[in-house]
């Protein structure tokens, strides 16, 4: 994690990381003002807080109340060496906690991350640099031996060279990658979480059988998402980019709507239109670009090559973002390598959906077959030794598709996790299924898995597949666990041979889709000096249903974005019009406003917590519609999860509104004790909100220039690096 420090007045310091700011000072005796804890005080508190976190985690997973658990830490200083200290952590536990859980709570403290880092002895490197943002990949730590050449299946270059190439590419783009966490809970299963140190909302997870393969996986996913703009999907890129010569890619084209808002003739083809617009309801308004919001330019469309005949077909960027999310995108050392990864991912998710929604039963992989892969078998045994039974299944549906499945059962909670993996190689698909199980997860995280169900609707409803796509945490049918399989086990193999193995495998996978009667469309991206591609298989690789283009399109943001960002500037008529749109667009009242309008608000602000319901409440207050506001306050307090401060504000508002709308009550009779209960600052905000002198309490004014929204500006700054690199690449190409 990158922590940037600013020097403030006197001895005060400011540390900034993620969306947080920490102020440090020195005691008066050390010439400070004593206005904040000192740096060493924060260090001491961190170990106590970390210990308490692991106690809380242990108790929450076992439904043990923590109200009467007390924890403290004392540091005992050696009189002869003040740097030699003992941190004594003491826990006071209620008498009704069992002896087993008492020991469990004490053992949980041993897992404290701060404690482990201190005990291991961190190494400090102190150096001068010309630019803090230079040496962008120094935070990766893992530096493979440049003389080594470790080949793994599916990669056209050694891991060491792959990592070096990708790290250098990111450094050239000015992206400073840091590793936020490593996990290696069982043998031969590694995962890590990497992110942009300056825009931490841009992150990926990697997995593999070794540290190096996991790092290569994470970096490859990071580069694929940069190339395909996935990190920035659904968000507003600012008015400058919206009016730039191109918004997404230099080869994009913008098409004007036809008469009566008909679809432009230049987009899609007959095959795609039969899938995306079967009833003729799709209009141009449904396909405007969410990221620019520039409806005057028309429909932003991206070129894809139809594989059946090599023709270029233009897909609206809005359609791709809404239906496919991150499915079918990949980067690679070569185009063929990237295509194999893309196609494998498409088969993995499509076959997984077919199996889960069809409540199919799969054949077990025989033990004699598993024994051929001792490294994978060691990982499976590691899970079972931790108390998690594991089922290894052939998900090829009779040898038709290159897909495997590893399913974990949690007897402690009754939850299950069906993890799928795909690749032309049986071994690689099996390894991916296993490593996916623990990608970014702790053993405690496996306690949140849903229980299987015999209720078919719970398994087949569309949102369940979306949950499986996001993190494989959807519901699985109990029928999946039947001992009577609908298929015979097949020890399949779709892998290629020799130097052109990836090209052969890509052709094989494309051939399967052709036999299924599917059209395949491919876009290749190389402007960032990396090979990446995106593959669409209409009617097969979508994650969200095609109806979402009409009924749940991300470009609904365009109806709200400008007015919400300019909320403080709207007159009553504009507020009433905004309220009417919020009421009549079938929005989820608990949808957060940031998601609705595509803005990365800081989660720790009132904007970051704002929901559709709360916004409607605040608009009613601004319009002095007190009875409507009171009704929504009641709903907010009953169902909304918000900060303690925000809830107290609405509790105070609720009682004030109850007095004001009751003809028999007088506010003056209660105001003194309201102030004693809620405090003067909070009551001033409440009274100002009901008399109109305070509008939209807690929401700092902003606008379409995104004033004060630092988190969103960091995201846009990250995208500008991609935009600039693409513009430079296009300029060089035009000069040739």
């Amino acid at each position: 994690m990158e922590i940037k420090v600013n020097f403030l007045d006197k001895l005060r310091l400011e540390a900034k990381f993620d969306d947080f700011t920490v102020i440090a000072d020195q005691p008066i005796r050390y010439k400070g003002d004593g206005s904040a804890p000192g740096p060493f005080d924060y260090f001491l508190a961190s170990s106590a807080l970390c210990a308490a976190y692991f106690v809380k985690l242990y108790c929450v997973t076992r439904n043990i109340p923590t109200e009467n658990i007390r924890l403290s830490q004392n540091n005992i200083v050696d009189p002869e060496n003040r740097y030699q200290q003992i941190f004594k952590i003491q826990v006071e536990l209620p008498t009704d906690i069992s002896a087993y859980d008492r020991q469990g709570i004490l053992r949980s403290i041993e897992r404290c991350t701060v404690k482990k880092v201190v005990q291991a002895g961190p190494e400090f490197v102190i150096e001068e640099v010309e630019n803090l943002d230079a040496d962008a990949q120094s935070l990766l730590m893992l530096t493979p031996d440049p003389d080594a050449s470790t080949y793994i299946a599916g990669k056209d270059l050694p891991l060491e060279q792959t990592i070096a190439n990708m790290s250098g590419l990111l450094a050239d783009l000015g992206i400073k990658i840091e590793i936020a966490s490593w996990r290696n809970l069982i043998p031969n299963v590694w995962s890590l979480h990497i992110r942009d140190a300056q825009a931490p909302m841009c992150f990926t997870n990697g997995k593999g059988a070794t540290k190096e393969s996991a790092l290569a996986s994470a970096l490859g996913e990071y580069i694929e998402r940069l190339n395909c703009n996935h990190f920035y999907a659904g968000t507003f890129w600012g008015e400058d980019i919206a009016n730039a010569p191109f918004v997404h890619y230099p080869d994009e084209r913008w098409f004007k709507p036809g008469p009566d808002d008909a679809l432009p003739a230049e987009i899609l083809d007959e095959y795609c239109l039969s899938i995306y617009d079967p009833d003729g309801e799709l209009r141009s308004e449904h396909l405007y670009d969410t990221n620019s919001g520039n409806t005057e330019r028309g429909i932003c469309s991206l070129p894809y090559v139809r594989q059946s005949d090599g023709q270029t077909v233009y897909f609206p960027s809005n359609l791709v973002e809404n239906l496919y999310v991150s499915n079918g995108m990949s980067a690679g050392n070569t185009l063929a390598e990237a295509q194999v990864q893309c196609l494998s991912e498409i088969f993995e998710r499509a076959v997984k959906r077919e199996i889960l929604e069809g409540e199919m039963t799969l054949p077990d992989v025989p033990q004699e077959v598993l024994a051929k892969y001792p490294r994978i078998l060691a990982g499976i045994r590691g899970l079972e030794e931790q108390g998690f039974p594991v089922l290894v299944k052939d998900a090829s549906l009779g040898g038709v598709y290159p897909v495997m499945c590893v399913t974990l059962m949690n007897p402690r909670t009754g939850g299950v996790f069906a993890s799928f993996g795909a690749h032309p190689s049986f071994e690689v698909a099996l390894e991916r299924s296993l490593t996916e199980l623990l990608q970014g997860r702790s053993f405690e995280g496996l306690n949140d898995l849903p229980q299987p169900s015999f209720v078919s609707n719970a398994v087949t409803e569309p949102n369940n597949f979306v949950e499986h796509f996001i993190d494989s945490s959807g519901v699985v049918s109990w029928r999946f666990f039947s001992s009577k399989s609908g298929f015979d086990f097949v020890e399949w193999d779709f892998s290629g041979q020799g130097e052109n193995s990836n090209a052969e495998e890509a052709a094989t996978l494309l051939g399967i889709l052709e036999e299924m009667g599917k059209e395949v469309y491919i876009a290749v991206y190389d402007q960032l000096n990396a090979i990446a591609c995106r593959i669409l298989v209409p009617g097969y690789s979508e994650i969200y249903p095609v109806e979402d283009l009409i009924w749940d399109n991300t470009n609904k943001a365009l109806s709200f974005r400008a007015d919400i960002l300019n909320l403080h500037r709207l007159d009553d008529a504009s507020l009433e019009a905004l309220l009417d749109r919020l009421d009549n667009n079938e929005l989820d009242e608990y949808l957060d406003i940031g998601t609705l309008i595509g803005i990365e608000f800081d989660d720790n602000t009132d904007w970051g917590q704002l929901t559709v319901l709360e916004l409607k409440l605040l608009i009613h207050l601004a319009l002095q519609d007190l009875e409507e506001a009171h009704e929504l306050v009641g709903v907010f307090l009953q169902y909304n999860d918000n900060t303690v401060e925000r809830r107290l504000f609405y509790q105070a508002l609720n009682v004030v509104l109850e007095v004001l709308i009751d003809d028999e009550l007088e506010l003056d009779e209660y105001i003194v004790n309201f102030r004693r209960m809620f405090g003067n600052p909070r009551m001033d905000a409440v009274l100002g909100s009901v008399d109109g002198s305070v509008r939209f309490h807690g929401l700092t004014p902003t606008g379409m220039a995104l004033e004060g929204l630092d988190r969103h500006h960091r995201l846009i700054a990250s995208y500008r690096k991609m935009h600039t690199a693409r513009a430079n690449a296009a300029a060089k190409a035009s000069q040739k």
Side-chain angles (χ1 to χ4, degrees), residues 101-249:
D101 283 326
R102 287 171 181 272
Q103 288 302 312
I105 288 171
L106 294 178
R107 284 195 301 271
S108 72
I109 296 175
E110 292 291 335
R111 300 178 54 213
C112 168
T113 311
V114 176
K115 168 182 169 294
K116 288 187 175 182
V117 171
V118 171
Q119 287 178 323
E123 179 182 350
F124 285 83
V125 177
I126 301 170
E127 61 185 7
E128 178 189 357
V129 296
E130 292 184 7
N131 187 326
L132 284 176
D133 296 328
D135 193 17
Q137 307 319 313
S138 62
L139 301 180
L140 289 179
M141 287 294 291
L142 183 62
T143 306
D145 182 355
D147 297 325
S149 294
T150 306
Y151 281 89
I152 62 173
K155 293 294 181 186
D156 285 328
L157 290 176
L159 276 179
E160 294 79 9
Q161 187 175 346
T162 300
I163 292 170
N165 290 348
M166 292 190 290
S167 299
L169 183 153
L170 291 168
D172 290 342
L173 288 170
I175 296 174
K176 191 171 187 176
I177 293 292
E178 62 182 10
I179 294 178
S181 66
W182 280 100
R183 292 189 185 275
N184 175 219
L185 301 180
I186 58 175
N188 309 318
V189 175
W190 287 83
S191 73
L192 77 160
H193 177 85
I194 66 172
R195 62 185 189 177
D196 185 335
Q198 296 155 344
M201 66 289 291
C202 299
F203 65 85
T204 57
N205 296 299
K207 60 185 185 293
T210 65
K211 295 191 295 292
E212 291 78 11
S213 60
L215 177 57
S217 167
L219 291 171
E221 186 172 288
Y222 200 97
I223 289 171
E224 89 184 23
R225 296 188 174 203
L226 286 179
N227 275 278
C228 297
N229 290 342
H230 181 68
F231 288 136
Y232 320 102
T235 58
F236 178 43
W237 295 350
E239 294 181 315
D240 289 348
I241 291 176
N243 294 296
F246 69 90
V247 172
H248 293 260
Y249 301 98

Side-chain angles (χ1 to χ4, degrees), residues 505-568:
E505 290 169 2
T508 298
L509 298 180
L510 287 169
I512 296 173
L513 291 168
E514 184 178 2
E515 289 177 7
M516 296 169 64
K518 303 295 183 183
E519 284 280 12
V520 178
Y521 303 79
I522 300 180
V524 177
Y525 301 115
D526 58 4
Q527 301 100 333
L528 305 182
N529 293 321
I531 294 293
C533 66
R534 176 144 205 174
I535 299 179
L536 309 180
V537 187
Y540 191 68
S541 66
E542 294 87 357
I543 298 301
Y544 287 95
V546 295
E547 308 90 75
D548 279 9
L549 291 174
I550 296 174
W551 302 111
D552 194 20
N553 196 308
T554 59
N555 77 1
K556 62 179 176 284
L558 308 187
S559 298
F560 303 103
R561 182 183 289 155
D563 278 351
I564 291 177
L565 289 174
N566 289 303
L567 193 62
H568 294 78

Side-chain angles (χ1 to χ4, degrees), residues 261-273:
D261 204 37
L263 300 181
E266 299 91 341
I267 66 170
L268 304 173
D269 58 18
E270 290 301 319
Y271 178 85
C272 292
L273 287 170

Side-chain angles (χ1 to χ4, degrees), residues 546-709:
V546 295
E547 308 90 75
D548 279 9
L549 291 174
I550 296 174
W551 302 111
D552 194 20
N553 196 308
T554 59
N555 77 1
K556 62 179 176 284
L558 308 187
S559 298
F560 303 103
R561 182 183 289 155
D563 278 351
I564 291 177
L565 289 174
N566 289 303
L567 193 62
H568 294 78
R569 303 181 183 91
L570 300 185
D571 57 23
D572 285 359
S574 298
L575 285 175
E576 288 173 354
L578 173 58
L579 187 60
D580 185 64
R581 293 198 302 278
L582 290 168
D583 283 332
N584 294 307
N585 271 269
E586 299 184 359
L587 300 174
D588 178 356
E589 295 216 313
Y590 299 99
L591 175 69
D592 66 90
I593 292 298
T595 299
L596 174 63
I597 65 173
I599 298 295
E600 279 282 343
F601 293 115
D602 183 342
D603 289 341
N604 303 306
T605 65
D606 290 328
W607 274 113
Q609 297 289 316
L610 186 68
T611 61
V612 170
L613 172 69
E614 187 181 0
L615 177 60
K616 290 162 66 173
L617 189 169
L618 291 171
I619 294 174
H620 278 299
L621 275 179
L623 294 171
Q624 298 294 283
D625 299 331
L626 300 188
E627 291 193 9
E628 291 85 351
H630 179 246
E631 181 179 341
L632 292 178
V633 169
V635 178
F636 178 94
L637 290 173
Q638 185 171 4
Y639 297 109
N640 213 313
D641 182 20
N642 211 301
T643 62
V644 173
E645 172 58 35
R646 203 65 173 163
R647 286 189 64 84
L648 285 171
F649 168 77
Y650 283 114
Q651 287 174 13
L653 177 63
N654 188 52
V655 294
V656 168
L657 289 173
E658 286 181 345
V659 171
L660 291 176
I661 64 179
D662 190 324
D663 293 337
E664 298 181 1
L665 299 177
E666 293 292 336
L667 184 59
D668 288 344
E669 297 176 10
Y670 296 90
I671 197 66
V672 171
N673 282 321
F674 283 173
R675 287 186 177 278
R676 294 180 69 185
M677 172 67 80
F678 297 108
N680 285 327
R682 191 175 293 117
M683 282 305 302
D684 289 342
V686 167
L687 296 174
S689 296
V690 297
D691 70 18
S693 61
V694 174
R695 288 161 62 92
F696 310 110
H697 171 64
L699 304 182
T700 54
T702 183
M704 288 295 283
L706 310 173
E707 302 91 337
L709 303 182

Side-chain angles (χ1 to χ4, degrees), residues 339-631:
Q339 288 177 332
V340 170
Q341 174 60 25
C342 274
L343 293 164
S344 297
E345 186 177 82
I346 287 170
F347 279 117
E348 172 194 321
R349 286 158 179 169
V351 173
K352 177 180 185 177
R353 183 173 200 158
E354 184 178 351
I355 291 168
L356 294 176
E357 293 185 354
E359 300 182 89
M360 299 177 180
T361 305
L362 303 177
D364 293 322
V365 177
Q367 284 299 313
E368 60 269 22
V369 174
L370 285 179
K372 298 178 182 179
Y373 313 109
R375 290 172 59 85
I376 296 174
L377 195 56
I380 292 170
R381 287 172 176 163
L383 279 172
E384 293 189 327
E385 288 168 1
Q386 292 291 329
F388 299 106
V390 174
L391 307 176
V392 183
K393 302 280 189 178
D394 167 23
S396 68
L397 303 186
V400 178
Y401 305 106
V403 186
M404 297 296 293
C405 176
V406 176
T407 301
L408 175 144
M409 307 170 74
N410 188 345
R412 301 182 186 92
T413 63
V416 300
F417 183 172
S419 173
F420 288 73
H423 189 268
S425 162
F426 184 98
E427 179 180 8
V428 174
L430 179 56
E431 180 184 281
R432 287 182 176 178
S433 300
L434 177 61
T435 54
E436 175 70 22
L437 270 177
L438 292 175
Q439 179 172 279
R441 287 183 174 85
S442 62
F443 287 134
E444 287 80 6
L446 298 175
N447 291 326
D448 297 329
L449 303 176
Q451 299 176 9
S453 174
F454 277 117
V455 179
S456 295
N457 288 343
V459 178
T460 59
E461 67 100 6
N463 193 59
N464 188 51
F465 175 66
V466 175
E467 293 297 323
H468 276 288
F469 167 75
I470 294 171
D471 61 4
S472 297
S473 65
V475 178
V476 177
S477 172
W478 266 120
R479 294 176 177 85
F480 180 84
F481 296 93
S482 170
S483 61
K484 185 178 180 181
S485 171
F487 302 91
D488 292 329
F489 168 75
V490 176
E491 192 174 358
W492 49 266
D493 183 15
F494 296 89
S495 57
Q497 302 296 322
E499 294 182 359
N500 296 317
S501 60
N502 272 316
E504 292 177 16
E505 290 169 2
T508 298
L509 298 180
L510 287 169
I512 296 173
L513 291 168
E514 184 178 2
E515 289 177 7
M516 296 169 64
K518 303 295 183 183
E519 284 280 12
V520 178
Y521 303 79
I522 300 180
V524 177
Y525 301 115
D526 58 4
Q527 301 100 333
L528 305 182
N529 293 321
I531 294 293
C533 66
R534 176 144 205 174
I535 299 179
L536 309 180
V537 187
Y540 191 68
S541 66
E542 294 87 357
I543 298 301
Y544 287 95
V546 295
E547 308 90 75
D548 279 9
L549 291 174
I550 296 174
W551 302 111
D552 194 20
N553 196 308
T554 59
N555 77 1
K556 62 179 176 284
L558 308 187
S559 298
F560 303 103
R561 182 183 289 155
D563 278 351
I564 291 177
L565 289 174
N566 289 303
L567 193 62
H568 294 78
R569 303 181 183 91
L570 300 185
D571 57 23
D572 285 359
S574 298
L575 285 175
E576 288 173 354
L578 173 58
L579 187 60
D580 185 64
R581 293 198 302 278
L582 290 168
D583 283 332
N584 294 307
N585 271 269
E586 299 184 359
L587 300 174
D588 178 356
E589 295 216 313
Y590 299 99
L591 175 69
D592 66 90
I593 292 298
T595 299
L596 174 63
I597 65 173
I599 298 295
E600 279 282 343
F601 293 115
D602 183 342
D603 289 341
N604 303 306
T605 65
D606 290 328
W607 274 113
Q609 297 289 316
L610 186 68
T611 61
V612 170
L613 172 69
E614 187 181 0
L615 177 60
K616 290 162 66 173
L617 189 169
L618 291 171
I619 294 174
H620 278 299
L621 275 179
L623 294 171
Q624 298 294 283
D625 299 331
L626 300 188
E627 291 193 9
E628 291 85 351
H630 179 246
E631 181 179 341

